Amino acid sequence: TQLLEQSPQFLSIQEGENLTVYCNSSSVFSSLQWYRQEPGEGPVLLVTVVTGGEVKKLKRLTFQFGDARKDSSLHITAAQTGDTGLYLCAGARGNQFYFGTGTSLTVIP
Amino acid sequence: DSGVTQTPKHLITATGQRVTLRCSPRSGDLSVYWYQQSLDQGLQFLIQYYNGEERAKGNILERFSAQQFPDLHSELNLSSLELGDSALYFCASSGGTGRVEAFFGQGTRLTVV
């Protein structure tokens, strides 16, 4: 069983639309990371959230860590074709990382 | 550039063979993680080493083994290869206590024919 479930699994939207990706778990994490992966490349770290309820903004991307530190969301405003990729969340507990199932985002011009 | 180096970038080998994948972590990072990613799949955690010792094991087959050397580089050994072992293999590294992020290498694409 997967410790972190992401939804939706696949998302295809028009350029300019907004979207939200969710990362849920029944477990508590000390921190949570979001990564974006392009085909054939390694995942690239986007952000780390540490405090329950924390919100971080990275240009058009807004990341939120749930109050109970069990879930997180990634909101993209006015999506661009360059946002296309696989988005992965990862929760940290001690020295161990647990990756989510991934959300494959395609932004259509 | 994440600072994590993986070699080789591509590897093509025949069934039944054995290969070794190498990973050099970021300077100062003590933990190394190995992941397998099959086509259109998520990241499957294989194994973690911390400062030379095995720390955690995931879905790693008995045909696979890994080690981390005193200079902190790591090797993943895959033996008796099968067609289904074809995948991208990623290495990630992270620091010790207080440094929570993992940084990934570019991966090794293994093709078993």
Side-chain angles (χ1 to χ4, degrees), chain B residues 79-90:
Chain B
S79 61
S80 302
L81 284 166
E82 302 174 0
L83 295 177
D85 297 327
S86 296
L88 270 167
Y89 290 84
F90 288 106

Side-chain angles (χ1 to χ4, degrees), chain A residues 11 13-20 60 75-79 105:
Chain A
L11 190 54
I13 61 169
Q14 292 291 135
E15 197 169 24
E17 292 183 349
N18 302 333
L19 67 114
T20 302
R60 295 174 294 100
H75 182 78
I76 301 179
T77 303
L105 171 66

Side-chain angles (χ1 to χ4, degrees), chain B residues 30-49:
Chain B
L30 300 176
S31 276
V32 169
Y33 308 78
W34 286 98
Y35 292 88
Q36 180 191 56
Q37 188 176 41
S38 300
L39 192 64
D40 295 331
Q41 298 291 312
L43 287 167
Q44 297 296 320
F45 170 65
L46 296 178
I47 197 163
Q48 177 200 359
Y49 278 83

Side-chain angles (χ1 to χ4, degrees), chain B residues 18-21 34 46-47 49 54 57 60-68 74-79:
Chain B
R18 172 190 168 94
V19 297
T20 298
L21 313 183
W34 286 98
L46 296 178
I47 197 163
Y49 278 83
E54 183 182 303
K57 235 175 184 177
I60 187 166
L61 300 173
E62 284 192 15
R63 301 184 284 107
F64 295 1
S65 65
Q67 52 184 327
Q68 185 179 29
S74 178
E75 292 181 355
L76 178 66
N77 300 296
L78 315 177
S79 61

Side-chain angles (χ1 to χ4, degrees), chain A residues 29-64:
Chain A
F29 296 98
S30 57
S31 67
L32 198 136
Q33 289 80 41
W34 283 92
Y35 295 81
R36 181 169 70 214
Q37 183 183 25
E38 300 192 16
E41 303 289 324
V44 175
L45 179 68
L46 296 175
V47 78
T48 298
V49 285
V50 178
T51 308
E54 182 177 1
V55 176
K56 276 193 175 177
K57 293 196 174 185
L58 191 67
K59 296 183 182 177
R60 295 174 294 100
L61 278 59
T62 302
F63 305 85
Q64 184 162 9

